[in-house]
Amino acid sequence: MFVLIGYGVVIFSIFGGFVLAGGHLYALLQPIELLMIFGGAAGAFVVGNDSKTLRATVKTLPTVLQGTQYTKSMYMDLLAMMFEILTKIRKDGMMAIEKDVENPENSVIFGKYPKLIKQHHLIDFICDYLRLMLSGNMDAFQIENLMDNDIETYDAESHVVSHAITRMADGMPAFGIVAAVMGVVHTMESVGSVPPAELGALVAKALVGTFLGILLGYGFVGPLASLLDQKHAEVNKMLQTTKVIMIASLNGYAPTIAVEFGRKVLFSTERPGFLELEDYIKEARTK
């Protein structure tokens, strides 16, 4: 929704200002220029990225129209779920969660949090490290190092699409210049064969290419990469929060304290108060 609102503001501001200044919108309607810019940018995008990146881009782009899922409520669900898991471990031993880890979709604990169970990367992260903890006494330092590498790998992989889109956005002004140069070439070859009054129109059409390249690159395509980076940062924060809680538990802290560690690494916009989280956990455990 906000993407469409932002695009609307861009269109209204740029084209509305042009009209208010006395310009005529039909002068900006240059489909051939758009073909050159989009075609050139798309071709360069295909050349500059492998098949994995291309598939990931096609899969990821539709998500930009979706609002964020990572609200304060979801973070509180994560903290409450981790508290229940760690409490069960502390009370009944590590083997008590074996069935939950092996089949989270049918787990009573995971089933209480439908928003989280849809976050497959997060659930896999939790289950993988609980499975390692099940295998025996694991050194907390080694587990933390492995978690850091795991999160770093996800972070690098998640930025592939946004970096590819950024490069495409950076190249669109250049393709706009190419379109403008082609327009100027057409104008110069028309000298003597068209009336002088028409030469001005041809020059104007050529300049539209530069305008469209810059507008599309910085007003439409570039912001999508920034938005994707923000979405990936939210997933990363979920993983970091989980890591802090599990490492605190491995170091011997009680579930209440371990969850508090996780609460403190949340951004201030999503971080619940201590008593607020305590009440939420109590309510979640009675479900």
Side-chain angles (χ1 to χ4, degrees), residues 48-64:
N49 296 285
D50 58 24
S51 59
K52 292 184 294 184
T53 302
L54 296 176
R55 287 195 297 268
T57 303
V58 172
K59 182 179 179 180
T60 302
L61 280 179
T63 65
V64 299

Side-chain angles (χ1 to χ4, degrees), residues 56-222:
T57 303
V58 172
K59 182 179 179 180
T60 302
L61 280 179
T63 65
V64 299
L65 297 178
Q66 302 171 1
T68 180
Q69 305 175 54
Y70 302 96
T71 60
K72 181 178 180 179
S73 174
M74 180 174 281
Y75 283 107
M76 291 177 71
D77 277 350
L78 174 63
L79 297 176
M81 185 179 73
M82 293 304 300
F83 178 84
E84 287 199 53
I85 292 172
L86 297 180
T87 299
K88 187 174 182 179
I89 293 173
R90 196 175 185 88
K91 181 180 179 181
D92 302 323
M94 284 297 305
M95 297 307 296
I97 64 163
E98 184 176 13
K99 291 183 179 180
D100 299 290
V101 170
E102 296 302 330
N103 194 2
E105 290 80 9
N106 296 323
S107 165
V108 174
I109 295 178
F110 287 110
K112 290 183 180 180
Y113 306 95
K115 292 180 182 178
L116 294 178
I117 203 69
K118 296 178 182 178
Q119 305 299 315
H120 301 295
H121 194 86
L122 172 66
I123 297 300
D124 289 344
F125 183 86
I126 294 172
C127 291
D128 284 348
Y129 288 101
L130 287 175
R131 196 176 289 112
L132 283 176
M133 293 166 65
L134 274 166
S135 66
N137 285 328
M138 303 296 296
D139 180 77
F141 176 78
Q142 294 298 330
I143 292 291
E144 183 176 13
N145 184 59
L146 181 58
M147 285 181 169
D148 286 337
N149 288 325
D150 195 352
I151 294 174
E152 183 180 345
T153 299
Y154 169 77
D155 189 54
E157 185 179 23
S158 65
H159 282 89
V160 168
V161 173
S162 61
H163 288 168
I165 293 176
T166 297
R167 291 193 296 270
M168 181 179 179
D170 289 343
M172 292 188 89
F175 283 109
I177 294 174
V178 170
V181 170
M182 298 297 285
V184 171
V185 170
H186 175 58
T187 301
M188 297 305 294
E189 71 175 0
S190 300
V191 174
S193 62
V194 298
E198 292 186 18
L199 291 177
L202 292 176
V203 171
K205 290 179 181 179
L207 292 176
V208 169
T210 303
F211 158 71
L212 289 177
I214 296 172
L215 177 62
L216 293 171
Y218 295 108
F220 288 87
V221 179

Side-chain angles (χ1 to χ4, degrees), residues 249-280:
S249 178
L250 278 173
N251 283 321
Y253 289 98
T256 304
I257 303 302
V259 169
E260 178 63 14
F261 278 33
R263 185 184 74 86
K264 295 301 291 182
V265 302
L266 296 178
F267 293 125
S268 60
T269 50
E270 285 83 32
R271 185 190 303 157
F274 179 83
L275 295 178
E276 181 184 8
L277 178 60
E278 186 177 33
D279 292 340
Y280 190 86

